[in-house]
Amino acid sequence: MDLGIKDKVALVAASSKGLGREVACALAQEGVRLSLCARTQSTLHETAEHIRSRYGVEVMETVCDLTDEHQVATLVKGTLESFGTVDILVSNAGGPPPGKFLEHDVDAWRRAVDLNFMSAVFLCQQVVPVMQKNKWGRIVLMTSISVRQPLDGLILSNSVRAATTGLARTLANELGEDNILVHTVCPGFFLTDRVKSLAERLAEANGTTPEDMEKKWASQNVLGRVADPSEFGPLVAFLCSERASYMTGSAIAIDGGLYKGLL
Ligand SMILES: NC(=O)c1ccc[n+]([C@@H]2O[C@H](COP(=O)([O-])OP(=O)(O)OC[C@H]3O[C@@H](n4cnc5c(N)ncnc54)[C@H](OP(=O)(O)O)[C@@H]3O)[C@@H](O)[C@H]2O)c1
């Protein structure tokens, strides 16, 4: 299926590694021009070079901490100067640390809000006016399957993702008249560097091994395995495409059937 987004411009945030990188690759495969960012220049450059050589699309790379609104403004300004527009925004970031309620101080809560909620606010503030002018836009915000079913030992993520979901659904309602379609995607367990490190930290806290943590997560979903990161990008590319023109306001699970409710 041709997704109909060749030569569109996508800003994929937090895209040097993991799920963000997979989204960037899936969009590049469709001929989308990319603006990528992360905090670490070396891995960002490596990913940008990989995408340029493998898919032959234009890729811009910006070192940016998404918790800083000024750096986000500079990122979007630079993208507009290079490409003239932003058609697609994929808002992503790192994840907050694991732990139970009393293990996190106030600063940890503030950092989690900055990382997984305010970063999305900053990005949307910058790109929505551009998309409104174009009367075309796609916005996908990363959350987690924890918005349906909280995950043990991840209270920061479980809490903050709910705010991001409220932001996305409200934006979808407000921006439909401008043909800007907004979704969240809710992953279960994909074996990225973050999930490998979560397995290590939770294993230590629970007196078990990372391998046992992964087995436990695998046994919780109906496919009986954790996912390969490459299984994530195509869903987001579809949501960002011309083919998804009558979908907005959805929170889409990609979790191997971990969440077992009806809706
Ligand atoms: N993997 C899963 O199964 C899963 C499941 C549910 C939810 N999620 C959520 O999905 C998101 C991505 O997860 P992942 O597994 O792909 O993580 P990952 O492998 O650790 O990759 C995180 C990416 O974000 C960048 N990043 C982190 N903090 C940033 C910041 N402040 N500003 C700019 N870039 C930043 C990292 O690069 P730098 O470190 O160089 O900045 C890297 O490119 C996280 O919010 C995670 O909690 C993941």
Side-chain angles (χ1 to χ4, degrees):
M1 178 170 45
D2 174 7
L3 294 185
I5 46 176
K6 188 171 184 312
D7 295 329
K8 294 272 191 207
V9 175
L11 195 171
V12 184
S15 39
S16 64
K17 295 199 308 184
L19 301 184
R21 185 184 199 268
E22 295 300 330
V23 169
C25 290
L27 289 168
Q29 197 164 0
E30 297 300 317
V32 171
R33 293 175 286 163
L34 293 171
S35 174
L36 307 183
C37 78
R39 293 165 305 174
T40 313
Q41 207 267 334
S42 53
T43 38
L44 178 63
H45 183 62
E46 195 186 301
T47 293
E49 283 288 284
H50 166 76
I51 293 176
R52 285 184 194 109
S53 69
R54 176 140 185 211
Y55 303 102
V57 295
E58 282 179 78
V59 182
M60 191 189 150
E61 39 187 298
T62 308
V63 172
C64 172
D65 185 335
L66 293 155
T67 62
D68 179 334
E69 65 179 299
H70 303 293
Q71 292 188 38
V72 173
T74 304
L75 164 71
V76 175
K77 190 166 172 265
T79 306
L80 291 172
E81 279 167 8
S82 291
F83 291 128
T85 195
V86 177
D87 303 299
I88 294 165
L89 167 66
V90 180
S91 171
N92 178 42
K100 293 187 178 176
F101 181 62
L102 291 178
E103 292 164 10
H104 298 297
D105 61 15
V106 169
D107 283 344
W109 279 95
R110 291 210 170 101
R111 279 196 299 274
V113 170
D114 284 346
L115 184 64
N116 294 119
F117 179 66
M118 290 311 297
S119 61
V121 172
F122 298 152
L123 286 161
C124 291
Q125 278 178 330
Q126 297 293 325
V127 303
V128 164
V130 179
M131 293 177 175
Q132 281 179 315
K133 256 191 221 147
N134 295 343
K135 291 282 173 202
W136 199 100
R138 300 287 188 267
I139 298 176
V140 174
L141 307 186
M142 176 78 81
T143 64
S144 161
I145 196 57
S146 66
V147 300
R148 301 259 167 81
Q149 182 171 290
L151 299 169
D152 292 345
L154 291 172
I155 194 167
L156 294 175
S157 176
N158 293 345
S159 305
V160 177
R161 308 294 183 183
T164 308
T165 308
L167 169 71
R169 180 63 235 200
T170 312
L171 281 177
N173 297 348
E174 291 185 6
L175 301 176
E177 64 187 19
D178 295 311
N179 192 30
I180 301 169
L181 313 183
V182 187
H183 302 281
T184 53
V185 276
C186 317
F189 289 99
F190 287 73
L191 213 46
T192 61
D193 286 354
R194 168 170 166 79
V195 163
K196 287 179 196 162
S197 125
L198 272 182
E200 280 166 21
R201 294 181 68 175
L202 290 170
E204 202 180 312
N206 296 325
T208 177
T209 64
E211 292 72 27
D212 281 341
M213 284 308 302
E214 284 171 30
K215 275 189 199 147
K216 182 178 160 200
W217 291 332
S219 71
Q220 287 168 346
N221 69 61
V222 300
L223 299 183
R225 63 182 178 87
V226 294
D228 186 272
S230 65
E231 296 179 270
F232 187 77
L235 168 69
V236 180
F238 172 74
L239 291 174
C240 293
S241 79
E242 200 60 82
R243 302 287 85 83
S245 55
Y246 200 59
M247 288 180 73
T248 192
S250 307
I252 301 192
I254 173 162
D255 67 342
L258 187 159
Y259 171 67
K260 300 194 179 70
L262 290 185
L263 289 173

